[in-house]
């Protein structure tokens, strides 16, 4: 494999940026880029980072790992530099000048899998942990990442192998007076079916925990939608101005509250306009209503006609009408679900609770593992084969068919963890039972 590198942190101005490098021979480059070698693996060194002409790009931290004791299983190193865009660009130039290739998405985790550092489902769990939008999702994904899920699947594979040994032994060696197929083995198969059914029931699909709670803010121009949006986030994400029509596109960001993640969308103020760009922004806002879980109407005055217009717009959706600019005085009439001031923050505790309450109906359930659609499909296929094997034994339909069902059941579990190996069942038979010929 070639030597690859990638920026492991977001490509934006920040306090620090981290580059990862992995591949055969990559450690030889450390002396070139730092001016000196590093003696001890897994030790953090402070060194100058040099360009191809010997100029100092930055003062960086460097740590290296010797394969196979690394994430990828290969020789690798990491560079910790200041998070300036110019610094990042120069480091990229240096790595390319050394002949390193830019790593495609997931390359380091892919190499970890190919080098048997992690199983296939553990590799998938890396993304699941990153994408988790709730605490429960994080904990369930981490179980897979830590190997607990793999251990459980491998344990069921071993139990199926034990059953296969008995069935195959009965097929191949019954004429030599050995009794492999007995009531104990049949009971073991039923126990595996029951235990595996419970295991599958304890798995929840990734989509169940990755669904975003989408909240769309709508309202007339200058009602303070963007100010409410920014106050909920805690920082200025959307541009705020007294000029009507400032927000012309959809602005999206995420908020975490009460152990749940919410996707907030600020939209263009809705009004009649001849401005083509603003008009397009209004069309985008209207098109998002159907995808929103909750529509929030933001107003700064009481106008029954305007309120009814937006209530109609959100028909069929969870809807919350809020009065903004409470710092200037309360509305002259009732008719709002919540009163807030984006300027002072008054009323935002209640607003957050009202928004969160819309999503309490979704019961996440009590699950043990977070899995993907392919896992669920493979588990169901494996369980189906186990049930067929049990039924065929009871009906005495032929041990060859039972053996094939067990082989398929084991094969589906192998696909879950990414194991593709030759069948070593014969070796299992000879090592498990003292059979001689």
């Amino acid at each position: 494999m070639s030597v690859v590198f990638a920026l492991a942190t977001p490509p934006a101005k920040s306090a620090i940026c981290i580059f990862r490098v992995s591949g055969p021979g990559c450690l030889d480059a450390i002396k070139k880029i730092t001016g000196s070698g590093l003696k001890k693996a897994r030790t953090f060194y402070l060194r100058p980072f040099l360009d191809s002409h010997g100029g100092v790009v930055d003062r960086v931290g460097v740590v290296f790992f010797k394969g196979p004791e690394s994430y990828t299983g290969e020789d690798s190193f990491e560079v910790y530099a200041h998070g300036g865009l110019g610094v990042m660009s120069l480091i990229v130039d240096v790595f390319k000048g050394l002949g390193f290739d830019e790593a495609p998405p997931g390359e380091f985790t892919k190499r970890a899998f190919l080098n048997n550092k992690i199983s296939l489902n553990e590799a998938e769990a890396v993304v699941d942990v990153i994408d988790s939008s709730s605490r429960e999702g994080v904990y369930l994904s981490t179980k897979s990442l830590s190997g607990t899920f793999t251990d459980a699947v491998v344990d069921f594979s071993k139990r199926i192998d034990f059953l296969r040994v008995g069935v195959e032994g009965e097929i191949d060696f019954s004429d030599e007076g050995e009794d492999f197929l007995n009531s104990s083995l049949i009971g073991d198969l039923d126990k595996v079916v029951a235990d595996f059914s419970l295991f599958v029931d304890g798995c929840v699909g990734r989509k169940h925990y990755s669904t975003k709670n989408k909240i769309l803010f709508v309202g007339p121009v200058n009602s303070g939608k963007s100010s409410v949006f920014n106050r909920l986030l805690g920082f200025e994400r959307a541009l705020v101005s007294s000029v009507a029509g400032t927000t012309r596109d959809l602005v999206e960001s995420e908020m975490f509250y009460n152990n749940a993640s919410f996707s907030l969308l600020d939209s263009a103020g809705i009004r009649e306009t001849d401005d083509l760009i603003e008009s397009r922004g209004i069309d985008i806002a209207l098109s998002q209503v159907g995808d929103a879980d909750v529509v929030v109407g933001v107003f700064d005055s009481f106008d029954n006609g305007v309120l009814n217009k937006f209530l109609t717009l959100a028909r069929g959706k969870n809807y919350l009408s809020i009065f903004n600019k409470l710092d200037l005085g309360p509305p002259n009439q009732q008719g709002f679900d919540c009163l807030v001031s984006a300027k002072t923050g008054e009323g935002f505790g209640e607003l957050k609770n009202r928004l969160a309450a819309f999503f309490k109906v979704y019961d996440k359930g009590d699950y043990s593992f977070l899995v993907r659609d392919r896992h669920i499909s493979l588990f169901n296929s494996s369980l189906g084969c186990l049930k067929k094997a049990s039924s065929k034994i009871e009906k005495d339909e032929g041990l060859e068919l039972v053996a094939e069902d067990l082989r398929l059941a084991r094969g589906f579990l192998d696909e879950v963890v990414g194991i593709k190996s030759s069948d070593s069942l014969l070796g299992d038979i000879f090592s498990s039972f003292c059979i001689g010929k």
Side-chain angles (χ1 to χ4, degrees):
M1 289 186 179
S2 63
V3 175
V4 295
F5 75 93
L7 179 64
T9 47
K13 183 179 179 180
S14 59
I16 192 173
C17 67
I18 303 173
F19 282 87
R20 284 178 172 169
V21 180
S22 182
C26 71
L27 300 184
D28 296 336
I30 292 179
K31 188 172 183 179
K32 296 179 182 178
I33 62 176
T34 65
S36 62
L38 307 182
K39 294 182 179 180
K40 190 176 180 181
R42 299 176 178 272
T43 301
F44 197 85
Y45 291 89
L46 185 62
R47 293 287 188 272
F49 191 96
L50 308 177
D51 63 20
S52 59
H53 303 292
V56 177
V57 173
D58 193 11
R59 190 81 167 163
V60 303
V62 186
V63 59
F64 76 92
F65 307 88
K66 285 288 295 180
E69 301 300 321
S70 68
Y71 178 70
T72 61
E74 305 170 327
D75 288 348
S76 62
F77 68 89
E78 296 177 355
V79 174
Y80 298 73
H82 291 99
L85 297 178
V87 172
M88 297 179 202
S89 178
L90 288 169
I91 291 177
V92 168
D93 290 343
V94 170
F95 285 153
K96 288 184 176 180
L98 292 169
F100 296 172
D101 296 327
E102 288 191 77
E107 178 67 17
F108 293 91
T109 300
K110 177 183 177 181
R111 293 189 178 206
F113 166 66
L114 293 176
N115 291 324
N116 297 316
K117 298 295 293 184
I118 57 176
S119 66
L120 186 57
N121 66 278
E122 288 169 4
E124 293 169 313
V126 172
V127 177
D128 294 338
V129 170
I130 295 173
D131 289 345
S132 293
S133 58
S134 67
R135 295 183 183 224
E136 296 87 350
V138 170
Y139 288 130
L140 290 176
S141 298
T142 302
K143 280 187 177 181
S144 294
L145 185 60
S146 66
T148 305
F149 177 76
T150 301
D151 291 342
V153 174
V154 170
D155 181 64
F156 279 112
S157 296
K158 291 178 179 178
R159 291 174 66 178
I160 294 174
D161 282 346
F162 177 79
L163 297 172
R164 293 177 65 198
V165 167
V167 173
E168 295 280 1
E170 180 69 16
I171 294 172
D172 294 338
F173 303 105
S174 59
D175 59 343
E176 297 189 11
E178 297 287 346
D179 184 18
F180 290 89
L181 191 62
N182 50 44
S183 59
S184 175
L185 188 143
I186 297 173
D188 288 340
L189 174 55
D190 291 338
K191 185 69 165 57
V192 169
V193 171
D195 290 348
F196 191 58
S197 295
L198 289 175
F199 172 78
V200 174
D201 289 340
C203 296
V204 59
R206 179 173 179 261
K207 292 180 180 178
H208 194 69
Y209 275 93
S210 61
T211 300
K212 296 287 180 65
N213 303 316
K214 186 176 290 188
I215 301 172
L216 175 67
F217 291 87
V218 298
V221 295
N222 278 3
S223 61
K225 296 186 310 306
S226 297
S227 296
V228 172
F229 177 83
N230 288 338
R231 171 65 73 167
L232 281 171
L233 293 176
F235 62 94
E236 190 168 332
R237 173 68 175 84
L239 183 63
V240 176
S241 169
S242 60
V243 177
T246 298
T247 303
R248 298 189 172 203
D249 201 355
L250 206 65
V251 180
E252 182 174 5
S253 195
E254 291 188 6
M255 178 185 77
F256 194 76
Y257 181 71
N258 276 0
N259 300 336
S261 178
F262 301 90
S263 182
L264 307 182
L265 295 96
D266 183 28
S267 64
I270 297 177
R271 65 171 179 171
E272 295 293 331
T273 178
D274 294 328
D275 189 306
L276 293 179
I277 297 178
E278 184 182 354
S279 178
R280 177 56 182 154
I282 293 172
D283 291 340
I284 293 174
L286 296 174
S287 70
Q288 289 295 315
V289 172
D291 293 332
D293 297 304
V294 176
V295 177
V296 178
V298 182
F299 310 93
D300 62 352
S301 63
F302 182 88
D303 185 317
N304 197 52
V306 173
L307 292 176
N308 286 334
K309 173 184 177 181
F310 283 92
L311 180 61
T312 302
L313 175 67
R315 182 171 295 167
K317 291 289 180 179
N318 293 316
Y319 180 71
L320 188 71
S321 64
I322 66 175
F323 173 81
N324 185 28
K325 304 181 182 179
L326 185 59
D327 53 291
L328 299 179
N332 53 14
Q333 293 191 48
Q334 297 298 317
F336 299 98
D337 298 313
C338 198
L339 308 180
V340 303
S341 169
K343 183 176 182 179
T344 66
E346 184 179 358
F348 272 79
E350 180 186 353
L351 174 59
K352 290 179 181 179
N353 290 332
R354 294 289 293 268
L355 291 174
F358 283 112
F359 303 99
K360 289 183 179 179
V361 295
Y362 299 111
D363 182 16
K364 299 292 187 180
D366 185 15
Y367 298 103
S368 299
F369 297 104
L370 187 69
V371 297
R372 294 176 171 238
D373 288 344
R374 80 172 191 93
H375 300 149
I376 296 173
S377 177
L378 290 169
F379 284 155
N380 288 336
S381 296
S382 181
L383 184 59
C385 289
L386 290 174
K387 290 179 177 179
K388 289 179 182 178
S390 178
S391 175
K392 287 172 182 175
I393 287 180
E394 290 181 3
K395 297 178 181 179
D396 195 23
E397 293 184 1
L399 293 182
E400 290 81 2
L401 297 178
V402 173
E404 178 63 10
D405 285 331
L406 293 177
R407 185 189 70 81
L408 291 173
R410 165 61 193 262
F412 288 126
L413 295 188
D414 285 347
E415 287 189 50
V416 172
V417 295
I419 297 174
K420 289 294 182 182
S421 58
S422 59
D423 194 336
S424 58
L425 181 60
L426 191 59
D428 291 338
I429 291 177
F430 278 97
S431 62
S432 301
F433 303 90
C434 298
I435 298 175
K437 187 165 171 68

